[in-house]
Amino acid sequence: MSEKSSAGLPALSKSMIWMINFGFLGVQTAFTLQSSQMSRIFQTIGADPNNLGWFFILPPLAGLIVQPIVGYYSDRTWAPKLGGRRLPYLILGTLVAVIVMLLLPNSGSFGFGYGSLAALWFGAITVAFLDLSSNVAMQPFKMMVGDMVNDDQKSYAYGIQSFLSNTGAVLAAIFPFLLTWLGVANTAKKGVVPQSVVVSFYVGAALLIITSAFTVFRVKEYDPATYARYHGIEESDNTEGGNWFTLLKQAPKAFWTVTLVQFFCWFAFQYLWTYSAGAIAKNVWNTTNATSAAYQAAGNWYGVLAAVQSIAAVVCSYILAKVPNKYHKAGYATTLLLGALGFISVFFIHSQGALIISFVLVGIAWAGMNTYPLTIVTNALSGKHMGTYLGLFNGSICLPQIVASLASFALFPLLGSSQVNMFLLAGIVLACGALSVTTIKETFAE
């Protein structure tokens, strides 16, 4: 497809841009609870650390399958009574995600037995469903920005999306620590997930419902005729079936060059989520026993560090939202390079407090990863097959995670079966991502 020069979309009020994105606060709360607590939950119910990669394959695999499907069908959906073309999928995803969030933290509470196949399968299935539903709920927000926001406001819109996303991540990450401080039990009998984690998921489910409701009831999507007129396409363009392989072949250069950067970024962050709790427990608390109080304390501290990461990302996202288009590449590369330094520093640090600096740097990279890719790619796309393209672009997030998880089965023992060593590798990979930003060919409105 040819790269567009400028969209004919009208300027939106800042309040509307906030409402388009507001539900992302709840979706990211659910996602962060899953990513920050998944390793802890599975090791608590008896998973072997060497096998964690199997469980972490499930979420990106779900996203790889679901998001292109959501994009493809939502391009062709028009259901005014349910909000339009993207919002019906947000409603469905939210309802399923809430149900699963009530089940996942109870994986060890149904009498399956510590380390039993039944317990691990129950946990794995609930994680898969949580990620499926989170992907269904998450994709509409990305698509609505592409649908409704013009090129001049798009960087701001995705910056706000990143801001809300990271605010949700702060809340999710700090919930177990805060609940423990308030007196909720942070330990439980062997094989049972502590109540501090269980209640955190319950609160996250409530937040998901409330924030998504704001977007559903306050946003009115463009009808097919208006959408076509604003994007300069025929109304029939998004009713035609599009072969995914053909669309990928015709994708603008920005799609593929950003995909290369994404590979390195998401490969590195997959190891952050997989090995953080174990690495911190080993380096700071000097334990590898997942059933010990020290390990659970390390798990809580990782929650605090994840909150620090998200706070840094919130601040950085606000700054990045104001960066002019012509400086996108410089900002993108700088944020990733700082994140690489943060990853590498975890390998050397044995102080609980010093890790805060490491995760501030990681948070800066996270802000760049959540602001620049979609801005650059959607600016290079026309409105034709917007949802399908963004769904396919999600492969640049999911495939690296799957590759990283599969590679971990060889890399983890090769690096001494050390969760700390995996951080050093992740930092090197993220530095490669910073260097690959130079390959991006960007299109934007002047």
Side-chain angles (χ1 to χ4, degrees), residues 26-161:
V27 174
Q28 190 61 37
T29 300
F31 180 80
T32 303
L33 280 169
Q34 172 190 301
S35 62
S36 66
Q37 298 299 321
M38 202 164 97
S39 177
R40 179 182 183 181
I41 289 173
F42 278 111
Q43 291 187 71
T44 297
I45 64 177
D48 183 341
N50 194 46
N51 293 326
L52 286 177
W54 289 115
F55 300 107
F56 279 83
I57 286 175
L58 294 173
L61 183 60
L64 183 65
I65 296 170
V66 170
Q67 293 214 24
I69 293 174
V70 172
Y72 180 88
Y73 285 104
S74 66
D75 276 345
R76 292 150 184 77
T77 294
W78 178 243
K81 292 183 179 179
L82 292 176
R85 61 197 316 220
R86 315 296 187 190
L87 291 175
Y89 296 89
L90 169 60
I91 295 169
L92 174 63
T94 296
L95 291 175
V96 176
V98 166
I99 294 171
V100 181
M101 288 180 74
L102 302 180
L103 294 175
L104 175 59
N106 290 296
S107 299
S109 303
F110 295 115
F112 296 124
Y114 177 77
S116 69
L117 191 60
L120 297 177
W121 267 109
F122 181 84
I125 291 170
T126 51
V127 162
F129 271 97
L130 178 56
D131 207 78
L132 281 168
S133 55
S134 294
N135 274 284
V136 172
M138 183 182 297
Q139 195 68 353
F141 297 105
K142 300 176 183 178
M143 294 174 182
M144 283 190 290
V145 173
D147 289 347
M148 301 177 67
V149 181
N150 66 34
D151 287 1
D152 291 333
Q153 293 183 304
K154 203 166 287 178
S155 181
Y156 175 78
Y158 282 121
I160 294 304
Q161 189 171 106

Side-chain angles (χ1 to χ4, degrees), residues 226-241:
T226 302
Y227 178 89
R229 184 172 72 253
Y230 283 154
H231 284 272
I233 62 176
E234 297 296 326
E235 189 174 341
S236 61
D237 283 341
N238 279 331
T239 61
E240 299 171 356

Side-chain angles (χ1 to χ4, degrees), residues 197-416:
V197 177
V198 174
V199 176
S200 294
F201 273 80
Y202 293 169
V203 175
L207 189 62
L208 176 57
I209 293 173
I210 294 168
T211 58
S212 295
F214 271 93
T215 296
V216 169
F217 290 112
R218 296 293 299 276
V219 175
K220 179 176 175 59
E221 296 187 71
Y222 298 136
D223 62 77
T226 302
Y227 178 89
R229 184 172 72 253
Y230 283 154
H231 284 272
I233 62 176
E234 297 296 326
E235 189 174 341
S236 61
D237 283 341
N238 279 331
T239 61
E240 299 171 356
N243 181 285
W244 289 359
F245 294 103
T246 301
L247 291 177
L248 288 173
K249 184 178 179 180
Q250 297 173 346
K253 292 179 181 178
F255 184 100
W256 293 111
T257 51
V258 174
T259 292
L260 175 64
V261 180
Q262 291 273 84
F263 177 85
F264 293 114
C265 293
W266 289 94
F267 188 106
F269 270 80
Q270 184 73 350
Y271 288 164
L272 172 79
W273 300 320
T274 308
Y275 300 112
S276 281
I280 294 168
K282 178 65 172 65
N283 260 15
V284 179
W285 273 266
N286 298 312
T287 183
T288 57
N289 181 5
T291 65
S292 67
Y295 189 95
Q296 296 301 329
N300 270 8
W301 187 243
Y302 171 51
V304 173
L305 293 174
V308 168
Q309 171 193 327
S310 297
I311 292 170
V314 166
V315 175
C316 188
S317 295
Y318 183 77
I319 296 171
L320 296 181
K322 297 179 178 296
V323 174
N325 285 345
K326 62 181 179 179
Y327 297 119
H328 282 174
K329 288 175 63 174
Y332 199 2
T334 300
T335 57
L336 298 184
L337 187 59
L338 290 173
L341 293 174
F343 271 91
I344 292 170
S345 68
V346 173
F347 176 82
F348 297 100
I349 290 176
H350 298 271
S351 164
Q352 182 177 348
L355 285 171
I356 291 174
I357 299 173
S358 302
F359 277 78
V360 166
L361 295 174
V362 170
I364 292 172
W366 184 247
M369 288 167 56
N370 283 279
T371 299
Y372 288 120
L374 286 172
T375 301
I376 295 170
V377 170
T378 55
N379 280 352
L381 293 170
S382 72
K384 188 175 181 179
H385 304 300
M386 176 71 77
T388 306
Y389 266 115
L390 290 181
L392 292 170
F393 182 67
N394 191 63
S396 70
I397 295 174
C398 299
L399 279 174
Q401 295 178 64
I402 294 171
V403 172
S405 292
L406 291 173
S408 71
F409 299 126
L411 293 173
F412 187 73
L414 184 64
L415 295 175

